[in-house]
Amino acid sequence: MAKRILVTGGAGFLGSHLCQRLVAKGNDVVCLDNLFTGRRENIDRLLDEHAFQFIRHDICDPIVLEVDEIYHLACPASPIHYQRNPVRTIRTCVQGTLHALELAREVGARVLIASTSEIYGDPLTHPQQEAYWGNVNPIGPRACYDEGKRCAEALAVSYARQYDVQVRIARIFNTYGPRMHENDGRVVSNFVVQCLRSRPITIFGQGQQTRSFCYVDDLIDGFIRLMASGVSDPVNLGNPAEFTILQLAQMVRGMTGSSSQLLYEQLPEDDPVRRKPDITRAVEQLGWHPEIKLEQGLEKTIADFRRRIQHET
Ligand code: NAD
Ligand code: UDP
């Protein structure tokens, strides 16, 4: 049966893909966004659909809507954006999540919280399992986001315990794909844009730090399975294939046919050294695992950026 579903942060990178998938599955979707890092053009094609509605609203202000499910994604995700106004980031993580949970409680909706691998901080175990409590610097430059998201998880489990709200917690690992903002500073978008514009590829530190990159379509599939499941514990969603940042740079350079040089810059403070999800829980309890290999996903991502850059000129 079709549901009425709220997606906060629905005009952002992940949110817009999620809205598109939910509408395609026959649901009525309300997309709420204050357009801080999101863009109207991400949801342009959905605006003509009867089943889609856009509300410009800041989730730090309360809202009441009759919905069956809430995907709560509203929050800047890239370090340059979440560090620009750290107080606002904390407010969005804490007050915004409080409002999403309060709405869920009021209307009896199930709510999925977009958490992050950042709650593990610079992890001391590898790969990261959900049982790991993390190694987060509570006063560093990433604290506004990391601790904000940890508080969002604490709020979610507290609403579940105290008020029986049905919560789902997705711990998302680095996800990439078409529609990433070209200036959002994340590594995949930076490298692709730098290669396509024949600019130097900025490697922070020696590029030996690792990340595991999940293609957006796989992640959205994981979101939808998690929401439909009975799993109220946090679930890691990500692609366990691990790459150094240098390997990623070389791959993007090769695939774009670029001759951009590598430019080594200072490693940002508290930049996690290694990151790779243990996805046993998602595999066993959701029957989910990512299908798209990095090279395939990069191909689609590069094609999207190429189109956008050509469009500009
Ligand atoms: P994004 O910046 O593209 O999207 C975030 C959206 O939230 C934007 O549209 C922005 O305008 C909106 N927003 C921000 N503050 C808001 C507020 N106060 N009220 C209403 N809307 C607000 O980032 P994304 O990559 O799509 O991330 C979406 C969610 O997933 C975030 O919660 C992020 O923390 C989480 N996440 C993403 C990744 C990833 O690799 N993409 C990894 C871990 C976690
Ligand atoms: N990074 C890099 N060059 C860039 C952008 C990022 O070397 O132009 C590195 C960054 O230091 C980090 C990794 O790539 O080690 C992933 O960075 P991103 O900001 O995408 O995500 P996060 O650090 O939140 O995982």
Side-chain angles (χ1 to χ4, degrees):
M1 206 183 72
K3 295 194 171 103
R4 188 150 196 259
I5 303 177
L6 171 65
V7 179
T8 76
F13 163 51
L14 296 181
S16 62
H17 284 274
L18 177 62
C19 287
Q20 198 177 337
R21 186 84 72 91
L22 293 172
V23 168
K25 284 168 85 74
N27 299 291
D28 277 333
V29 174
V30 181
C31 163
L32 177 154
D33 203 296
N34 68 351
L35 301 180
F36 176 49
T37 51
R39 295 179 292 189
R40 269 179 202 277
E41 65 204 68
N42 286 343
I43 49 166
D44 256 358
R45 72 191 73 182
L46 287 169
L47 289 169
D48 293 335
E49 304 264 357
H50 289 304
F52 183 80
Q53 184 188 356
F54 173 64
I55 301 176
R56 188 167 180 167
H57 181 84
D58 192 318
I59 195 63
C60 295
D61 297 321
I63 187 159
V64 179
L65 291 166
E66 283 298 331
V67 288
D68 307 301
E69 291 178 351
I70 303 165
Y71 288 85
H72 175 49
L73 274 61
C75 183
S78 131
I80 60 164
H81 286 134
Y82 70 64
Q83 289 175 26
R84 184 165 297 153
N85 187 336
V87 172
R88 183 172 176 171
T89 300
I90 296 176
R91 185 171 292 140
T92 296
C93 287
V94 178
Q95 207 167 20
T97 303
L98 196 69
H99 289 150
L101 288 162
E102 202 48 52
L103 170 62
R105 178 186 172 203
E106 197 155 323
V107 302
R110 183 178 288 187
V111 57
L112 181 148
I113 306 288
S115 183
T116 167
S117 52
E118 289 284 331
I119 64 107
Y120 300 121
D122 191 2
L124 302 177
T125 65
H126 194 80
Q128 292 79 54
Q129 294 181 329
E130 291 88 349
Y132 179 51
W133 289 356
N135 176 40
V136 172
N137 176 355
I139 55 168
R142 298 172 91 102
C144 56
Y145 183 73
D146 299 6
E147 297 290 13
K149 289 286 186 176
R150 287 168 71 94
C151 183
E153 286 200 11
L155 278 169
V157 295
S158 300
Y159 266 75
R161 283 191 193 116
Q162 198 170 331
Y163 301 121
D164 280 332
V165 172
Q166 292 191 55
V167 299
R168 304 288 176 264
I169 301 173
R171 290 189 180 154
I172 308 162
F173 283 65
N174 299 65
T175 301
Y176 69 99
R179 268 185 231 153
M180 288 185 94
H181 201 296
E182 52 281 13
N183 297 322
D184 107 338
R186 282 182 272 193
V187 69
V188 173
S189 45
N190 268 12
F191 287 0
V192 171
V193 171
Q194 288 162 347
C195 284
L196 292 179
R197 294 193 189 277
S198 302
R199 290 184 186 149
I201 305 173
T202 50
I203 307 282
F204 299 164
Q206 293 306 305
Q208 292 307 314
Q209 68 273 37
T210 69
R211 294 292 186 272
S212 307
F213 299 101
C214 185
Y215 187 66
V216 59
D217 289 357
D218 279 333
L219 186 90
I220 300 303
D221 189 38
F223 272 175
I224 291 172
R225 282 172 187 255
L226 176 58
M227 180 66 104
S229 77
V231 185
S232 54
D233 290 329
V235 180
N236 286 342
L237 294 178
N239 189 324
E242 186 184 7
F243 295 85
T244 67
I245 293 307
L246 205 53
Q247 284 173 321
L248 176 73
Q250 279 151 354
M251 226 164 145
V252 174
R253 187 163 59 174
M255 290 179 68
T256 50
S258 165
S259 51
S260 290
Q261 299 294 307
L262 302 183
L263 177 68
Y264 288 88
E265 293 189 349
Q266 201 176 349
L267 189 68
E269 200 182 329
D270 293 338
D271 199 284
V273 178
R274 293 188 77 187
R275 184 183 288 157
K276 166 182 161 134
D278 179 325
I279 59 163
T280 310
R281 185 173 287 173
V283 171
E284 288 178 354
Q285 299 194 22
L286 308 181
W288 177 84
H289 62 89
E291 308 263 353
I292 299 171
K293 293 201 163 49
L294 182 56
E295 195 156 18
Q296 291 170 282
L298 282 178
E299 220 165 83
K300 295 170 197 266
T301 309
I302 291 167
D304 174 63
F305 274 106
R306 217 188 269 284
R307 224 178 355 255
R308 281 193 270 162
I309 285 172
Q310 276 166 358
H311 205 250
E312 278 169 23
T313 51

mmCIF file of all heavy atoms in Angstrom, residues 79 118 142 174 185-187 190-191 194 202-204 209 211 245 267-268 271 275, ligand 2:
data_model
loop_
_atom_site.group_PDB
_atom_site.id
_atom_site.type_symbol
_atom_site.label_atom_id
_atom_site.label_comp_id
_atom_site.label_asym_id
_atom_site.label_seq_id
_atom_site.Cartn_x
_atom_site.Cartn_y
_atom_site.Cartn_z
ATOM 1 N N PRO A 79 32.749 17.792 5.520
ATOM 2 C CA PRO A 79 33.495 18.533 6.558
ATOM 3 C C PRO A 79 33.530 20.046 6.322
ATOM 4 O O PRO A 79 33.328 20.806 7.270
ATOM 5 C CB PRO A 79 34.897 17.904 6.504
ATOM 6 C CG PRO A 79 34.646 16.493 6.035
ATOM 7 C CD PRO A 79 33.487 16.582 5.082
ATOM 8 N N GLU A 118 31.165 8.467 11.173
ATOM 9 C CA GLU A 118 31.908 9.433 11.997
ATOM 10 C C GLU A 118 31.673 9.205 13.487
ATOM 11 O O GLU A 118 32.449 9.692 14.310
ATOM 12 C CB GLU A 118 31.511 10.867 11.646
ATOM 13 C CG GLU A 118 32.004 11.332 10.307
ATOM 14 C CD GLU A 118 33.494 11.674 10.276
ATOM 15 O OE1 GLU A 118 34.040 12.085 11.309
ATOM 16 O OE2 GLU A 118 34.093 11.489 9.208
ATOM 17 N N ARG A 142 35.928 18.294 14.158
ATOM 18 C CA ARG A 142 34.857 17.434 13.651
ATOM 19 C C ARG A 142 33.799 17.155 14.718
ATOM 20 O O ARG A 142 32.782 16.513 14.441
ATOM 21 C CB ARG A 142 35.431 16.094 13.152
ATOM 22 C CG ARG A 142 36.407 16.234 12.001
ATOM 23 C CD ARG A 142 37.080 14.910 11.673
ATOM 24 N NE ARG A 142 36.365 14.150 10.679
ATOM 25 C CZ ARG A 142 36.709 14.053 9.390
ATOM 26 N NH1 ARG A 142 37.764 14.674 8.934
ATOM 27 N NH2 ARG A 142 35.993 13.348 8.559
ATOM 28 N N ASN A 174 31.055 6.526 3.782
ATOM 29 C CA ASN A 174 31.238 7.412 2.610
ATOM 30 C C ASN A 174 30.474 6.935 1.370
ATOM 31 O O ASN A 174 30.770 5.868 0.833
ATOM 32 C CB ASN A 174 32.724 7.514 2.246
ATOM 33 C CG ASN A 174 33.556 8.089 3.375
ATOM 34 O OD1 ASN A 174 33.670 7.478 4.435
ATOM 35 N ND2 ASN A 174 34.125 9.254 3.173
ATOM 36 N N GLY A 185 33.388 19.600 -1.367
ATOM 37 C CA GLY A 185 34.661 19.351 -0.684
ATOM 38 C C GLY A 185 34.922 17.896 -0.361
ATOM 39 O O GLY A 185 35.977 17.575 0.176
ATOM 40 N N ARG A 186 33.970 17.006 -0.651
ATOM 41 C CA ARG A 186 34.236 15.599 -0.354
ATOM 42 C C ARG A 186 35.177 15.028 -1.403
ATOM 43 O O ARG A 186 35.292 15.536 -2.521
ATOM 44 C CB ARG A 186 32.925 14.813 -0.268
ATOM 45 C CG ARG A 186 32.259 15.063 1.073
ATOM 46 C CD ARG A 186 31.001 14.296 1.259
ATOM 47 N NE ARG A 186 29.842 14.994 0.756
ATOM 48 C CZ ARG A 186 28.591 14.651 1.017
ATOM 49 N NH1 ARG A 186 28.349 13.609 1.772
ATOM 50 N NH2 ARG A 186 27.583 15.328 0.529
ATOM 51 N N VAL A 187 35.846 13.953 -1.022
ATOM 52 C CA VAL A 187 36.997 13.533 -1.823
ATOM 53 C C VAL A 187 36.608 13.094 -3.240
ATOM 54 O O VAL A 187 37.294 13.443 -4.207
ATOM 55 C CB VAL A 187 37.815 12.460 -1.063
ATOM 56 C CG1 VAL A 187 37.073 11.136 -0.943
ATOM 57 C CG2 VAL A 187 39.157 12.267 -1.707
ATOM 58 N N ASN A 190 35.646 16.196 -5.280
ATOM 59 C CA ASN A 190 36.844 17.016 -5.503
ATOM 60 C C ASN A 190 37.717 16.425 -6.605
ATOM 61 O O ASN A 190 38.102 17.120 -7.548
ATOM 62 C CB ASN A 190 37.686 17.092 -4.220
ATOM 63 C CG ASN A 190 37.320 18.300 -3.373
ATOM 64 O OD1 ASN A 190 36.312 18.945 -3.621
ATOM 65 N ND2 ASN A 190 38.116 18.587 -2.366
ATOM 66 N N PHE A 191 38.026 15.139 -6.501
ATOM 67 C CA PHE A 191 38.952 14.524 -7.462
ATOM 68 C C PHE A 191 38.357 14.522 -8.875
ATOM 69 O O PHE A 191 39.059 14.810 -9.842
ATOM 70 C CB PHE A 191 39.309 13.095 -7.040
ATOM 71 C CG PHE A 191 40.244 13.007 -5.855
ATOM 72 C CD1 PHE A 191 40.722 14.161 -5.230
ATOM 73 C CD2 PHE A 191 40.660 11.766 -5.360
ATOM 74 C CE1 PHE A 191 41.580 14.074 -4.128
ATOM 75 C CE2 PHE A 191 41.520 11.682 -4.276
ATOM 76 C CZ PHE A 191 41.975 12.827 -3.654
ATOM 77 N N GLN A 194 38.395 18.125 -10.174
ATOM 78 C CA GLN A 194 39.779 18.553 -10.441
ATOM 79 C C GLN A 194 40.304 17.910 -11.725
ATOM 80 O O GLN A 194 40.923 18.568 -12.559
ATOM 81 C CB GLN A 194 40.677 18.191 -9.247
ATOM 82 C CG GLN A 194 40.411 19.083 -8.027
ATOM 83 C CD GLN A 194 40.935 18.517 -6.708
ATOM 84 O OE1 GLN A 194 41.307 17.345 -6.614
ATOM 85 N NE2 GLN A 194 40.968 19.361 -5.682
ATOM 86 N N THR A 202 44.114 17.433 -5.131
ATOM 87 C CA THR A 202 44.569 17.750 -3.767
ATOM 88 C C THR A 202 44.538 16.502 -2.883
ATOM 89 O O THR A 202 43.464 15.999 -2.530
ATOM 90 C CB THR A 202 43.674 18.839 -3.154
ATOM 91 O OG1 THR A 202 42.294 18.448 -3.339
ATOM 92 C CG2 THR A 202 43.887 20.184 -3.828
ATOM 93 N N ILE A 203 45.734 16.020 -2.545
ATOM 94 C CA ILE A 203 45.852 14.853 -1.650
ATOM 95 C C ILE A 203 46.196 15.382 -0.263
ATOM 96 O O ILE A 203 47.223 16.043 -0.091
ATOM 97 C CB ILE A 203 47.009 13.916 -2.095
ATOM 98 C CG1 ILE A 203 46.880 13.531 -3.574
ATOM 99 C CG2 ILE A 203 47.124 12.711 -1.175
ATOM 100 C CD1 ILE A 203 45.865 12.480 -3.855
ATOM 101 N N PHE A 204 45.341 15.105 0.704
ATOM 102 C CA PHE A 204 45.614 15.567 2.067
ATOM 103 C C PHE A 204 46.509 14.539 2.765
ATOM 104 O O PHE A 204 46.205 13.333 2.734
ATOM 105 C CB PHE A 204 44.314 15.775 2.853
ATOM 106 C CG PHE A 204 43.391 16.827 2.227
ATOM 107 C CD1 PHE A 204 42.048 16.906 2.613
ATOM 108 C CD2 PHE A 204 43.865 17.738 1.284
ATOM 109 C CE1 PHE A 204 41.200 17.864 2.047
ATOM 110 C CE2 PHE A 204 43.029 18.694 0.717
ATOM 111 C CZ PHE A 204 41.694 18.754 1.087
ATOM 112 N N GLN A 209 45.662 7.338 4.039
ATOM 113 C CA GLN A 209 44.446 7.064 4.812
ATOM 114 C C GLN A 209 43.444 6.327 3.898
ATOM 115 O O GLN A 209 43.479 6.516 2.685
ATOM 116 C CB GLN A 209 43.838 8.362 5.381
ATOM 117 C CG GLN A 209 43.256 9.342 4.389
ATOM 118 C CD GLN A 209 44.281 10.313 3.831
ATOM 119 O OE1 GLN A 209 45.416 9.960 3.598
ATOM 120 N NE2 GLN A 209 43.866 11.551 3.577
ATOM 121 N N ARG A 211 39.412 4.842 2.892
ATOM 122 C CA ARG A 211 37.963 4.980 2.997
ATOM 123 C C ARG A 211 37.350 3.847 2.162
ATOM 124 O O ARG A 211 38.009 3.272 1.302
ATOM 125 C CB ARG A 211 37.460 6.328 2.445
ATOM 126 C CG ARG A 211 37.891 7.560 3.228
ATOM 127 C CD ARG A 211 37.259 7.638 4.604
ATOM 128 N NE ARG A 211 37.568 8.905 5.283
ATOM 129 C CZ ARG A 211 38.646 9.101 6.032
ATOM 130 N NH1 ARG A 211 39.538 8.152 6.189
ATOM 131 N NH2 ARG A 211 38.820 10.266 6.647
ATOM 132 N N ILE A 245 43.414 6.864 -0.315
ATOM 133 C CA ILE A 245 43.013 8.074 -1.046
ATOM 134 C C ILE A 245 43.875 8.223 -2.306
ATOM 135 O O ILE A 245 43.395 8.658 -3.359
ATOM 136 C CB ILE A 245 43.107 9.291 -0.097
ATOM 137 C CG1 ILE A 245 42.055 9.163 1.022
ATOM 138 C CG2 ILE A 245 42.963 10.610 -0.841
ATOM 139 C CD1 ILE A 245 40.615 8.942 0.570
ATOM 140 N N LEU A 267 47.260 17.363 6.092
ATOM 141 C CA LEU A 267 46.146 16.510 6.525
ATOM 142 C C LEU A 267 45.307 17.272 7.551
ATOM 143 O O LEU A 267 45.856 17.789 8.527
ATOM 144 C CB LEU A 267 46.708 15.226 7.161
ATOM 145 C CG LEU A 267 45.713 14.122 7.493
ATOM 146 C CD1 LEU A 267 45.144 13.503 6.228
ATOM 147 C CD2 LEU A 267 46.383 13.040 8.356
ATOM 148 N N PRO A 268 43.983 17.353 7.355
ATOM 149 C CA PRO A 268 43.161 18.060 8.357
ATOM 150 C C PRO A 268 43.239 17.378 9.729
ATOM 151 O O PRO A 268 43.447 16.161 9.808
ATOM 152 C CB PRO A 268 41.739 17.953 7.790
ATOM 153 C CG PRO A 268 41.902 17.579 6.357
ATOM 154 C CD PRO A 268 43.199 16.846 6.232
ATOM 155 N N ASP A 271 41.624 13.724 11.084
ATOM 156 C CA ASP A 271 41.169 12.981 9.900
ATOM 157 C C ASP A 271 41.342 11.474 10.184
ATOM 158 O O ASP A 271 42.451 11.022 10.449
ATOM 159 C CB ASP A 271 42.041 13.389 8.706
ATOM 160 C CG ASP A 271 41.406 13.067 7.375
ATOM 161 O OD1 ASP A 271 41.418 11.888 6.988
ATOM 162 O OD2 ASP A 271 40.920 13.996 6.722
ATOM 163 N N ARG A 275 39.101 3.440 7.535
ATOM 164 C CA ARG A 275 37.658 3.282 7.710
ATOM 165 C C ARG A 275 37.136 2.222 6.751
ATOM 166 O O ARG A 275 37.384 2.275 5.554
ATOM 167 C CB ARG A 275 36.946 4.602 7.469
ATOM 168 C CG ARG A 275 35.465 4.500 7.743
ATOM 169 C CD ARG A 275 34.753 5.768 7.432
ATOM 170 N NE ARG A 275 35.033 6.822 8.377
ATOM 171 C CZ ARG A 275 34.896 8.115 8.089
ATOM 172 N NH1 ARG A 275 34.514 8.492 6.887
ATOM 173 N NH2 ARG A 275 35.137 9.031 8.995
HETATM 174 N N1 UDP B 2 40.643 14.223 1.028
HETATM 175 C C1 UDP B 2 41.732 14.486 0.203
HETATM 176 N N2 UDP B 2 41.597 15.474 -0.733
HETATM 177 C C2 UDP B 2 40.450 16.188 -0.907
HETATM 178 C C3 UDP B 2 39.343 15.906 -0.063
HETATM 179 C C4 UDP B 2 39.482 14.922 0.907
HETATM 180 O O1 UDP B 2 42.790 13.860 0.312
HETATM 181 O O2 UDP B 2 40.425 17.059 -1.784
HETATM 182 C C5 UDP B 2 40.753 13.129 2.032
HETATM 183 C C6 UDP B 2 40.361 13.543 3.447
HETATM 184 O O3 UDP B 2 41.475 14.058 4.133
HETATM 185 C C7 UDP B 2 39.883 12.216 4.013
HETATM 186 C C8 UDP B 2 39.296 11.474 2.814
HETATM 187 O O4 UDP B 2 39.836 12.122 1.656
HETATM 188 O O5 UDP B 2 40.975 11.477 4.502
HETATM 189 C C9 UDP B 2 37.772 11.509 2.756
HETATM 190 O O6 UDP B 2 37.359 12.858 2.903
HETATM 191 P P1 UDP B 2 35.853 13.319 2.812
HETATM 192 O O7 UDP B 2 35.832 14.756 3.181
HETATM 193 O O8 UDP B 2 35.272 12.921 1.512
HETATM 194 O O9 UDP B 2 35.083 12.440 3.895
HETATM 195 P P2 UDP B 2 35.392 12.039 5.425
HETATM 196 O O10 UDP B 2 36.717 12.582 5.852
HETATM 197 O O11 UDP B 2 34.266 12.647 6.165
HETATM 198 O O12 UDP B 2 35.383 10.569 5.387
#
